[in-house]
Amino acid sequence: MSDGKQTQDVQKDPATAPADAAKPAPARPSAEVGGPNDTRVRVDGVPLDVNVALPSGTARNTPLVVLMHGWGGKKSGADEMTGWARRGYSVLSYTARGWFGSCGKLNSTTNLLAIDPAGCAKGYTHLADARYEIRDTQNLVGLLVDSGFANPAKIGFTGGSYGGGQSVMLAVLGQQQMRPDGKLLQWFSPGGTPIQPAAAAPFIPWTDLGYSLVPNGATLDYAIRPLTADLSPLGIQKQSFVGGLYAVTGNGANLAPPGTDPTADLTRWNSLFNRGEPYGKAAAAAGRELATFHSGYGILDKVIKAGPPVGLTSAPPIPTLIINGWTDDLFPADEATRWVNRMRQKYPKVPVKQMFLDVGHMRGQNKPGDTARWQAAVRAWFDYYVKGGAPKPAANVTAMGPVVIDNATATRVQTVGPKLRTTLVGHSVSPVYRLVTFSKGQSAAGVMKYSNGTATTPTTYIYFMLYLQT
């Protein structure tokens, strides 16, 4: 753990804060740590494979960055964690439940379910469920707080894709934690310390998992749509993506036996959606499950409707930098705008920055310049909101589109900078967009015009999509 160059288990026998009988005990997890050669930490009985890096051997009460891996990945190693440790952060990374060293398959012959059947009985993947994977992350953070390593008010979450979707959910929950029964309570460490996370920076995330995999076209960049609009009717499956994502589970993952857990029935869900339309009641129920407990947009809806839990006078999301790709076919740019527009409607004072680049899953080019730009933005966001003492980053929109050539005029069209500029993009067979970006407090003053002559005038503070047909 010294000098940010090593990673090992969370320290044994963490110091715990005095219990307070007035705090809701059910929100506190049971947690224990392994021996000196064991990097697994049991949270609610499930062993999770954990790495921690500290900025120095004597570091205490430090800002903490939580790194979350993508689908089919595992915890970060020293190479990935050292950069943050050298900047003065402690770093937490762990393998999500159900994968590899966290009740998954280490290789083709070693399955941890067989080695630790009691601990791993419920250790299968729940597909980024706020009641399980998100709670796991929160509980591990709480252990570091109780150990004295992490400051409970200086915590940041970041990750890409699967880790990005979870970062959005953690941003929405903020000071709250969701119990397995779905109830929201104030977030406390195992020792009883209230946790107040500072910021999140999701990279190429989903905000509505069901919609991103089975889109029905209901998301509109100029309107705030109810959660039910994404579910009724269910849309058309992105079959190549869904098939590929499910196939990845064969390498490293343990899944719930089909039909045994309706909250994590990945095998059955895959079969239901592979049958195609028309979808029945079982597929509709799966869609509701994904929207309600596995998506930042659905959890935001739940948080808004529930109001702050006992002990909190308000429970807004935390400052968030969200990064999506124009050319990402899995989790495209509208995943960000859907969530941001709804969040700003309810919590207009929460700082949010959006970045749209040529990054992401398939078709995203992830060019070095774009990668350097978003990584620098994440560091700046955390240096101000998590560590403190750095210049305040702008809460705005940065759009770096793929270079577009207007075939009609041979004009190069590109957007750069802190705001999306009014831009015309034309093509003989494509829609024509007039893009208008609004600043907070402005009245609607623009129109998005389509090639058929129809126009929509927005009436709320929103962001439009650029180069993306919705």
Side-chain angles (χ1 to χ4, degrees):
M1 281 192 182
S2 62
D3 301 322
K5 295 181 180 179
Q6 300 180 50
T7 57
Q8 58 187 45
D9 58 295
V10 179
Q11 289 217 342
K12 208 171 183 180
D13 300 324
T16 57
D20 183 346
K23 295 171 184 175
R28 300 181 192 168
S30 62
E32 58 189 82
V33 297
N37 298 315
D38 187 1
T39 60
R40 294 188 303 164
V41 178
R42 290 184 184 268
V43 176
D44 291 340
V46 176
L48 302 175
D49 192 14
V50 180
N51 277 349
V52 173
L54 300 179
S56 72
T58 59
R60 295 294 184 273
N61 199 38
T62 64
L64 174 69
V65 170
V66 182
L67 305 179
M68 288 174 287
H69 64 75
W71 183 248
K74 60 180 68 173
K75 65 181 183 179
S76 298
D79 290 346
E80 298 169 88
M81 303 170 80
T82 297
W84 285 106
R86 286 176 173 167
R87 297 179 71 85
Y89 296 87
S90 291
V91 189
L92 165 65
S93 182
Y94 78 101
T95 301
R97 68 162 62 201
W99 290 94
F100 298 105
S102 296
C103 287
K105 302 169 186 174
L106 297 180
N107 50 51
S108 60
T109 60
T110 307
N111 189 330
L112 291 183
L113 178 60
I115 295 173
D116 186 0
C120 292
K122 297 294 184 182
Y124 46 80
T125 177
H126 284 72
L127 191 61
D129 192 321
R131 298 161 295 186
Y132 297 96
E133 281 88 350
I134 303 305
R135 192 165 179 267
D136 289 342
T137 300
Q138 293 174 316
N139 293 343
L140 290 170
V141 168
L143 279 176
L144 289 175
V145 168
D146 289 342
S147 300
F149 296 124
N151 186 316
K154 291 181 175 289
I155 299 161
F157 307 102
T158 188
S161 189
Y162 189 61
Q166 293 178 74
S167 298
V168 174
M169 289 185 269
L170 286 157
V172 172
L173 288 171
Q175 299 179 59
Q176 302 181 78
Q177 187 176 57
M178 188 179 291
R179 297 193 317 191
D181 64 4
K183 185 175 181 180
L184 293 167
L185 296 174
Q186 186 177 357
W187 176 12
F188 292 100
S189 73
T193 299
I195 309 294
Q196 304 172 18
F203 174 64
I204 55 172
W206 75 83
T207 60
D208 186 334
L209 184 56
Y211 185 93
S212 67
L213 300 178
V214 192
N216 66 1
T219 290
L220 300 173
D221 54 355
Y222 56 83
I224 297 171
R225 304 284 284 177
L227 183 63
T228 53
D230 289 355
L231 302 173
S232 182
L234 292 171
I236 306 299
Q237 183 190 47
K238 296 178 183 177
Q239 193 170 37
S240 59
F241 273 119
V242 174
L245 292 169
Y246 183 77
V248 169
T249 64
N251 177 31
N254 272 322
L255 307 182
T260 61
D261 186 345
T263 71
D265 206 351
L266 273 66
T267 299
R268 188 161 178 261
W269 294 345
N270 184 60
S271 176
L272 286 170
F273 287 110
N274 274 339
R275 294 174 190 172
E277 306 80 24
Y279 297 117
K281 292 182 179 179
R288 288 192 298 272
E289 168 68 27
L290 293 176
T292 305
F293 297 107
H294 308 252
S295 301
Y297 196 66
I299 294 170
L300 178 62
D301 189 68
K302 186 176 180 68
V303 165
I304 291 172
K305 290 177 179 177
V310 174
L312 296 174
T313 56
S314 64
I318 58 179
T320 302
L321 161 63
I322 187 167
I323 306 147
N324 279 92
W326 300 120
T327 46
D328 187 333
D329 291 322
L330 180 58
F331 303 142
D334 57 351
E335 290 298 315
T337 55
R338 171 199 298 116
W339 179 77
V340 171
N341 290 338
R342 178 70 174 107
M343 197 272 288
R344 281 194 177 278
Q345 182 189 49
K346 177 64 178 178
Y347 305 105
K349 295 183 179 180
V350 174
V352 176
K353 178 177 178 64
Q354 297 177 84
M355 295 188 77
F356 300 112
L357 311 166
D358 185 9
V359 296
H361 304 88
M362 190 173 68
R363 286 200 313 125
Q365 297 301 300
N366 298 293
K367 295 184 288 292
D370 283 343
T371 298
R373 183 179 292 269
W374 73 257
Q375 289 180 344
V378 173
R379 290 192 295 268
W381 196 259
F382 281 6
D383 284 351
Y384 177 78
Y385 285 107
V386 179
K387 187 168 68 173
K392 184 177 182 179
N396 57 14
V397 180
T398 297
M400 298 290 292
V403 174
V404 174
I405 302 298
D406 185 329
N407 289 352
T409 63
T411 301
R412 175 182 169 124
V413 180
Q414 189 175 20
T415 60
V416 181
K419 291 188 177 182
L420 303 177
R421 299 174 180 175
T422 302
T423 309
L424 291 174
V425 181
H427 189 279
S428 58
V429 296
S430 297
V432 177
Y433 300 105
R434 178 165 179 248
L435 181 77
V436 180
T437 298
F438 298 95
S439 297
K440 186 176 179 181
Q442 279 188 326
S443 59
V447 170
M448 176 172 272
K449 189 173 183 180
Y450 294 88
S451 57
N452 62 6
T454 62
T456 300
T457 301
T459 58
T460 56
Y461 170 48
I462 60 172
Y463 291 111
F464 282 40
M465 292 285 88
L466 179 62
Y467 310 145
L468 186 69
Q469 300 179 27
T470 57

